[in-house]
Amino acid sequence: MLNGNGVTASAGLAPTDEALSQDSKYLYVINSGDDTLGAYAVNAQTGALTMIGKVGDLHPTSAGLAAR
């Protein structure tokens, strides 16, 4: 994944699944290595990602995303 400067964006430890929202404005990433979910805003013109935030304490066996 790339941020706005074309540099690899940090997704968390061991990203295992990604889902793009139906309107393509947001990308969500499950990080199985640290049991977190990362959220990114997607720039409609460039595709660049801006991290919105990360939440933790996902169940260690969480797998798969379905964004709406």
Side-chain angles (χ1 to χ4, degrees):
M1 297 187 320
L2 300 179
N3 65 16
N5 296 323
V7 178
T8 302
S10 173
L13 186 59
T16 55
D17 199 9
E18 300 173 347
L20 191 61
S21 64
Q22 191 172 18
D23 61 6
S24 299
K25 292 182 178 182
Y26 302 98
L27 178 72
Y28 303 96
V29 180
I30 286 181
N31 304 300
S32 63
D34 57 6
D35 301 323
T36 61
L37 174 72
Y40 298 84
V42 180
N43 182 302
Q45 295 172 346
T46 66
L49 302 175
T50 302
M51 181 171 246
I52 297 170
K54 191 182 332 183
V55 294
D57 297 328
L58 293 182
H59 192 278
T61 60
S62 298
L65 285 173
R68 296 186 181 197

